[in-house]
Amino acid sequence: MSDSLHAAANKQFQQAADLIDLNPEYRAILSQPENEVIVNFPVRMDSGELKLFKGYRIQHNNVLGPYKGGLRFHPDVDLDEVKALAAWMTFKCSLVGLPYGGAKGGVTINPREYSDRELERLVRRFTHQLGDTIGPEIDIPAPDVGTNAQMMDWIMDTYANVSGPGGRQQLRGVVTGKSVEVGGSLGREAATGQGVLYALRHWCGETGQRLSGLTVSIQGFGNVGSHFARLAAKEGCLIVAVADHTATLHNPSGIDIPRLFDYARENRMIKGFDGADEVDTDDLFSIAVDAFIPAALENQITKDRADSMSCRVVVEAANGPTTSSGEDVLLSRGVDIIPDVLANAGGVVVSYFEWLQNQSGRAWRVDDVDTRLREIIWDANDKVVAMRAELSCTHRDAAYAVSLRRLADVYDRRGIFP
Ligand code: NAD
């Protein structure tokens, strides 16, 4: 297997392109990002020292609309990773019918090692350095691993301050995932986890079982994992194992998720929580459950871990959590995989709602956000199931096929400039 995440992402895309016999010109265009922006920028530390950071914004494709995708702050961020994540955004936005293309960005940094003041200076300088690369009609970032609503607020404020006095309302749409007080949408914070739960509920319908009573393990207890856990527990799922970067917790009778949620918010980790046993990192994968939810980083379900897994469905809340050989093992053992581009699309859907609210200057009620989110995610899941039946293929191939057909249809109509 190639170590390159972008090569792995391309392999998924090429496989589905073969299945639907995608026009080779569109295939060539979609196999590389349109723009690769790399910036090196200085930030003053609290100690007075000046440090140089490397940041990325990769714009994969914008045939459907402005580039859209998160910003990741993590020590492993590099060009290859961001290119893969940007491509997945194009396929995700197309799959769920949004008028957006795909992008992703990030900074190679461990944000836990910096003070809030240092992070604010870093976010503002990075935003300034990106300049016209981003904009409400150009490219719209959002939170991802290691970034949050506060950082989105700083991006918006920096962008608005250097953009001159006009268009203040619409300028807020330069970034989504903002705090509600400054133009964010109700329901955005929980949206990705909510979408993952809708995907799991849909799978229950496909396979004729009840959501309530399912046993679940979750890797990652950040934005996506913790909200998914909270909502799934409310629906009667039994969350028996949860891991983050500090610990893996197991309680066969079910972890008290509201209490763990509060504990993790307060301590910024799950280690030390007294309502479960701490077990080894790899034990998470071998615990028998109905559903396994990877909600941390890519390449977590390797071949060896897949060999040890005992579950019926993997719902990919994270992007790219299953390696190609891990996927082969799971599929050969009859485990369903609900792919990332479908499973975690809830976040970008509500980001789109936030952008619409910023454009119109009108805030939506949380009930409206949830109803429309459910409709869009449900419809995308229905389309993938229908495509699966048509092509006799996996969930992942079917999701890509739905997405690629829409992209090809738009290219057919628009043509290729000039
Ligand atoms: P986050 O930074 O809020 O949380 C990440 C979590 O993963 C943390 O709990 C961290 O401790 C845990 N983690 C990191 N390394 C780990 C390891 N080796 N083992 C176990 N846990 C580990 O990030 P997030 O926003 O929740 O994103 C998680 C995943 O979901 C990423 O793949 C991201 O791209 C994807 N995603 C996020 C959104 C969103 O709206 N935030 C939308 C779509 C997809």
Side-chain angles (χ1 to χ4, degrees), residues 65-76:
Y67 302 107
K68 184 87 188 82
L71 283 180
R72 177 173 293 195
F73 284 7
H74 191 275
D76 293 342

Side-chain angles (χ1 to χ4, degrees), residues 31-52:
S31 65
Q32 288 297 330
E34 285 171 5
N35 304 310
E36 301 178 17
V37 178
I38 303 180
V39 293
N40 295 293
F41 58 99
V43 181
R44 182 81 57 199
M45 299 292 102
D46 293 343
S47 64
E49 177 201 358
L50 197 75
K51 262 183 122 166
L52 204 65

